[in-house]
Amino acid sequence: MSEAIERRRVEQLTRDRQLGREGQGVRDGQGIDVPWWLQGATLERAIEHGLSESEFQTIANLIGRPLSILELGIFSALYSEHCSYKSSKVHLKTLPTEGSRVIQGPGENAGVVDVGGGLAVVFKIESHNHPSFIEPFQGAATGVGGILRDVFTMGARPIALLNSLRFGGLDNHRTSYLLRRAVAGIGNYGNCVGVPTIGGELFFHESYNGNCLVNAFALGVVEHDKIFLGHATGIGNLVFYLGSKTGRDGIHGATMASAGFDDSALAKRPTVQVGDPFQEKLLIEACLEIMESGAVIGIQDMGAAGMTSSVFEMADRAGTGVRVHLDRVPQREEGLTPYEIMLSESQERMLLVVERGKEGKIIDICNKWGLDAVAIGEVIEGSDVELLWHGEPVSSIPVKLVTSAVPQYRWPIEVPPEYERNRTFELSQVDEPEKGLDTIWYELLGSPNLCSRQPVYDQYDSTVQANTVIHVGGDAAVVRVAKNKITGKEIGVAITLDCNSRYCGLDPRLGTALSVAEAVRNITAVGADPIGISNCLNFGSPERPHSMWQFAEAVRGLGDAARAFEIPVISGNVSLYNETKGKSILPTPQIAMVGVLEDVSQAVGSYFINEGDEVFVLGIARDDGLGGSEYLAHYAGIERGTPPLLDYDLEMRTAKVVRYLISERLIQTCHDISSGGLAVALAECCFGSQNLLGATLKVEYHQGRLDSLLFSESGARYIISCPPERAQEVRSYIKNSGIAISLSGTVGGTSIEIGNVARLNLVDAHNVWSNALEPYISGATNVNNPTK
């Protein structure tokens, strides 16, 4: 095969002259044109492709012959951090990934967890950070499209989307522009494709000024016996290309996502893909119908690195070889070369392995849906991926050389000096406020990280498919899955995304564990049992010892919490090199958690329902809960200290009490206490989607500072409400369970009051909270110039 490739290198006439690329070709000794993509790869070109000198030399030694530029592109894509996880695998392998409900853990396109009744949910969260900073609308939109394909390629029908967004300070000149365009891209794609966007989170901090984060989550439902995997199995079976035609968009997308930014960041727009949600909708329906046909052996979407990753990964999982005729690939532009076809990240494309003799079914279904379906290759004996161009071989690479042979790095780690400085910070260094706590309460409700996200939610359709039970804005979103054929009850799933980036910046291990605990509280607050975690680990360069220490510590914290709560990590994504000019983002280990409700009718929301209902606050506010808090950052401009203590036993005992009260229908609402403390959480309970209801609480127990009573973010705390006639029963159960009630009161009135400490006018507080974000999402500010 290598002799044929070398012959092809000097015989192939390039089409690049048609594209004005005459100067990119060379002539051999006989004066025959050699296309640029068949020219020999040099170290200089390898470095341009993102490979290190040692990686290039290792590849050359392993393959035992000169590499072409086409092959250099293939190696560089699959050796990129984004595809290979070469800096993170040594840490990720320590995470707990197994459990009684786990059907498929890490290693496939998404994870799969049993929810009962012969049904499973498929879910995953992934990053699309770099593309979204360069071109926020398409970057965010194609992030949604990509995560949807990860889910339905497993055989699951997508039923829910969520997203986690991080942007710079609102005084930064690009923040408003990035926010508006990214939200618009997410809303446009999700709304058009017909999958509800039902939740997420939004956080602003100056560390994201030069590198915003867009993490997209999707969940689908599938029957146990209809799960598909990405395996190229069965010698002689056909490899089918399905979906949109291939273009030049997204080439080197994976490589671009594996490097930091500099002044040239915005010039990388050509590496950002362009999405078509209407085409994706057709692709979803066609793929699900094809899966029902019995003709499909394996299936995988063409995501990062496009066809390169799909072909090599499917062959690797099956232990087979694959032959691909690249000239048969549907193309939307003239003169595409094998290099461009292999590395294009054009959207809405799938690769299928089809049982030979059943290809007619595939073609008929795709014709029905108006999609391209072309047999471009076949599964072959051996372990090579062979590429042909107009019948002639142009590359043959052993699969293992671009999968298992990728080097795994254990980069040096070093504790940042600010970590120890943070730990020496004492709260006694901050005086309690001289101005009234109610004034600070108002200000916090109007602050960027605590105000209403309704201007964002308004752009998302959360009602399509008519399965959403708890919509955006709650502790966790809840959707119906299906009726359990055994019990006759409707199964529901709860979903939340959580990460306290400020905590993680102060103490990555504890901060990550606290983010998992917050996710558990959010799942618990709607009445669900947590069953699985997906993560998106967003960090700076692994080559910087301080950043690598943050990453390693965060993975340890994730493992600590996942084991303590007995919730397996079943899928995930790593996004490194999130930095600009060497300045890294805050560590952002995003936690996506899914819970199950055996009877979705038991789910409760967070908004108070009736005047006269009784309110109880479970758990005690501690002064340590002010470390790294939103209050301290806002009031004192301080981002120091140790995040709140994490008591796993208390968290689990309190969660068990809350879930019992909900399952027995003893309480009507529940809301956990987190960022902003009791003051912000109580106000949110009063700001119902239908009407405003005030509340008056009295203090039953508190020791410590008064600002701690209002704004402490210490854990294992919830606000619950119940009808007056159930109040004594609820109180007795909580007390007998050994859980403290720190405050109690009633719903009603025109104010929000916490003891004799602080009081807000209900309408005024709601106006402050609900209007703060609108000028930035609408573009009414004068700090939204995207060109600088």
Side-chain angles (χ1 to χ4, degrees):
M1 185 69 174
S2 60
E3 292 180 4
I5 293 168
E6 192 63 27
R7 184 176 66 253
R8 182 63 174 160
R9 193 186 307 278
V10 297
E11 292 176 350
Q12 171 67 35
L13 292 176
T14 181
R15 296 184 181 183
D16 289 285
R17 285 182 173 175
Q18 302 170 15
L19 301 176
R21 290 182 175 171
E22 294 90 343
Q24 297 187 37
V26 298
R27 289 175 178 258
D28 67 2
Q30 300 176 346
I32 299 175
D33 283 331
V34 179
W36 62 270
W37 47 271
L38 275 179
Q39 293 173 31
T42 63
L43 175 58
E44 182 181 10
R45 294 299 294 270
I47 292 173
E48 289 174 357
H49 278 68
L51 291 171
S52 68
E53 180 176 356
S54 63
E55 288 171 343
F56 178 65
Q57 295 299 337
T58 298
I59 293 167
N61 292 337
L62 287 173
I63 202 167
R65 59 171 173 80
L67 283 175
S68 69
I69 293 176
L70 164 64
E71 292 168 329
L72 178 64
I74 291 170
F75 274 101
S76 69
L78 293 186
Y79 272 54
S80 70
E81 191 68 52
H82 195 74
C83 291
S84 70
Y85 288 38
K86 59 190 177 185
S87 298
S88 57
K89 277 187 178 178
V90 293
H91 301 282
L92 297 176
K93 66 182 181 182
T94 65
L95 296 175
T97 60
E98 298 179 351
S100 60
R101 289 182 179 267
V102 177
I103 297 173
Q104 176 65 56
E108 271 290 338
N109 293 291
V112 187
V113 179
D114 173 40
V115 293
L119 298 172
V121 289
V122 178
F123 60 92
K124 189 179 183 182
I125 184 170
E126 279 199 341
S127 62
H128 228 226
N129 302 334
H130 284 52
S132 298
F133 182 77
I134 296 168
E135 210 305 292
F137 184 94
Q138 290 295 346
T142 52
V144 175
I147 199 64
L148 282 171
R149 291 192 294 280
D150 281 339
V151 166
F152 72 77
T153 193
M154 304 284 292
R157 176 170 291 279
I159 62 171
L161 289 165
L162 291 86
N163 57 82
S164 173
L165 309 177
R166 295 287 188 279
F167 296 102
L170 282 170
D171 57 349
N172 179 266
H173 61 270
R174 289 195 88 229
T175 294
S176 179
Y177 164 75
L178 292 172
L179 169 66
R180 286 185 288 112
R181 296 301 292 160
V183 168
I186 291 167
N188 176 268
Y189 206 100
N191 297 349
C192 292
V193 83
V195 179
T197 302
I198 58 173
E201 62 155 20
L202 172 63
F203 181 78
F204 298 94
H205 191 276
E206 63 180 7
S207 75
Y208 305 101
N209 282 350
N211 198 129
C212 67
L213 304 183
V214 173
N215 294 176
F217 171 96
L219 177 142
V221 60
V222 65
E223 295 179 22
H224 286 191
D225 59 353
K226 295 182 179 179
I227 298 168
F228 282 81
L229 303 178
H231 291 198
T233 305
I235 307 303
N237 284 332
L238 298 175
V239 176
F240 258 77
Y241 175 110
L242 175 62
S244 296
K245 291 178 169 59
T246 294
R248 290 191 172 90
D249 51 323
I251 294 175
H252 288 306
T255 306
M256 176 269 291
S258 304
F261 282 148
D262 54 27
D263 289 330
S264 66
L266 298 186
K268 298 180 180 180
R269 278 194 174 91
T271 62
V272 178
Q273 311 94 322
V274 177
D276 182 348
F278 298 106
Q279 189 82 342
E280 181 102 338
K281 174 61 175 174
L282 298 177
L283 193 61
I284 292 173
E285 300 304 329
C287 285
L288 294 179
E289 186 173 341
I290 285 170
M291 291 170 181
E292 291 284 346
S293 73
V296 179
I297 304 298
I299 180 171
Q300 179 156 326
D301 77 302
M302 297 188 213
M307 190 179 295
T308 291
S309 61
S310 301
V311 170
F312 279 90
E313 288 173 6
M314 291 183 76
D316 182 52
R317 294 189 189 110
T320 59
V322 172
R323 180 180 295 124
V324 178
H325 301 264
L326 293 175
D327 51 287
R328 299 178 188 174
V329 171
Q331 302 166 39
R332 68 167 182 259
E333 299 179 51
E334 290 187 4
L336 285 179
T337 66
Y339 178 95
E340 292 164 322
I341 292 169
M342 285 299 290
L343 296 180
S344 169
E345 294 183 12
S346 293
Q347 298 291 285
E348 294 85 41
R349 302 181 302 156
M350 308 290 282
L351 203 66
L352 282 67
V353 174
V354 176
E355 185 177 344
R356 185 174 286 274
K358 295 184 179 181
E359 57 268 27
K361 292 182 179 181
I362 306 297
I363 294 171
D364 289 344
I365 292 171
C366 289
N367 286 340
K368 168 187 170 182
W369 291 101
L371 295 173
D372 281 316
V374 179
I376 63 169
E378 52 276 330
V379 180
I380 60 175
E381 293 183 354
S383 57
D384 289 3
V385 168
E386 299 177 2
L387 305 179
L388 282 72
W389 185 241
H390 297 288
E392 295 289 342
V394 292
S395 173
S396 180
I397 301 175
V399 172
K400 295 297 183 183
L401 293 191
V402 292
T403 55
S404 57
V406 178
Q408 299 299 308
Y409 297 123
R410 186 180 289 275
W411 294 100
I413 62 174
E414 182 179 319
V415 180
E418 60 267 22
Y419 173 70
E420 291 300 332
R421 288 199 298 268
N422 289 332
R423 294 173 67 84
T424 61
F425 174 80
E426 297 289 342
L427 186 60
S428 59
Q429 298 173 232
V430 180
D431 294 332
E432 291 199 53
E434 294 182 3
K435 59 181 178 179
L437 289 171
D438 48 359
T439 300
I440 296 176
W441 190 358
Y442 272 120
E443 292 172 356
L444 279 174
L445 288 175
S447 65
N449 290 328
L450 299 174
C451 68
S452 171
R453 271 68 179 120
Q454 196 61 44
V456 174
Y457 302 152
D458 285 344
Q459 299 187 52
Y460 302 155
D461 186 346
S462 64
T463 62
V464 64
Q465 299 188 14
N467 286 320
T468 309
V469 176
I470 295 180
H471 291 254
V472 289
D475 288 85
V478 177
V479 289
R480 296 181 192 87
V481 172
K483 183 172 288 188
N484 188 319
K485 297 176 182 178
I486 299 173
T487 67
K489 297 178 180 179
E490 284 194 304
I491 301 169
V493 293
I495 313 160
T496 184
L497 302 185
D498 293 286
C499 176
N500 192 310
S501 302
R502 189 177 283 118
Y503 287 174
C504 294
L506 296 172
D507 186 330
R509 186 169 186 169
L510 176 57
T512 304
L514 284 167
S515 297
V516 175
E518 166 65 3
V520 170
R521 290 181 220 128
N522 282 329
I523 295 293
T524 296
V526 298
D529 289 298
I531 59 172
I533 293 171
S534 183
N535 63 81
C536 192
L537 306 178
N538 306 273
F539 288 80
S541 169
E543 300 169 49
R544 299 182 188 278
H546 292 170
S547 291
M548 200 62 232
W549 175 82
Q550 291 174 331
F551 180 85
E553 285 290 283
V555 173
R556 292 187 185 100
L558 173 55
D560 293 342
R563 280 183 284 271
F565 289 114
E566 298 182 343
I567 310 171
V569 180
I570 57 95
S571 63
N573 173 243
V574 174
S575 175
L576 303 179
Y577 295 97
N578 289 289
E579 58 181 42
T580 298
K581 298 181 181 179
K583 183 175 176 57
S584 175
I585 62 166
L586 281 177
T588 308
Q590 190 65 48
I591 306 301
M593 188 175 291
V594 172
V596 65
L597 294 105
E598 295 181 359
D599 181 358
V600 76
S601 70
Q602 294 178 338
V604 301
S606 59
Y607 302 131
F608 292 145
I609 297 174
N610 301 307
E611 290 205 23
D613 282 349
E614 295 287 321
V615 179
F616 298 103
V617 177
L618 278 61
I620 296 170
R622 304 186 307 270
D623 286 356
D624 75 272
L626 292 179
S629 66
E630 285 288 337
Y631 161 72
L632 207 60
H634 171 81
Y635 164 64
I638 292 174
E639 297 188 19
R640 292 184 62 193
T642 302
L645 298 175
L646 177 52
D647 184 332
Y648 288 112
D649 177 67
L650 180 62
E651 290 281 357
M652 289 186 284
R653 287 191 295 111
T654 307
K656 184 177 180 180
V657 167
V658 170
R659 286 195 288 267
Y660 173 82
L661 293 172
I662 294 173
S663 67
E664 294 298 311
R665 304 183 191 273
L666 291 171
I667 61 177
Q668 298 184 111
T669 69
C670 182
H671 188 26
D672 86 300
I673 296 172
S674 56
S675 295
L678 169 65
V680 171
L682 180 62
E684 290 170 342
C685 292
C686 295
F687 299 156
S689 56
Q690 301 300 320
N691 57 341
L692 304 182
L693 291 170
T696 301
L697 301 185
K698 63 179 180 181
V699 179
E700 296 196 11
Y701 178 85
H702 177 68
Q703 287 184 334
R705 298 163 56 120
L706 290 181
D707 54 357
S708 173
L709 173 66
L710 267 64
F711 307 121
S712 170
E713 297 175 3
S714 53
R717 294 194 295 152
Y718 301 81
I719 302 171
I720 62 174
S721 72
C722 65
E725 62 270 20
R726 309 305 295 268
Q728 188 55 49
E729 184 179 0
V730 169
R731 180 185 281 273
S732 296
Y733 182 79
I734 296 169
K735 181 180 178 180
N736 292 337
S737 300
I739 303 301
I741 295 174
S742 56
L743 296 96
S744 61
T746 57
V747 176
T750 59
S751 63
I752 312 172
E753 301 182 37
I754 299 177
N756 296 318
V757 178
R759 174 184 180 277
L760 300 186
N761 177 277
L762 177 63
V763 173
D764 291 345
H766 182 261
N767 287 339
V768 168
W769 176 78
S770 61
N771 294 324
L773 195 60
E774 176 59 34
Y776 298 94
I777 200 71
S778 67
T781 66
N782 59 4
V783 288
N784 58 5
N785 182 0
T787 62
K788 296 182 180 179

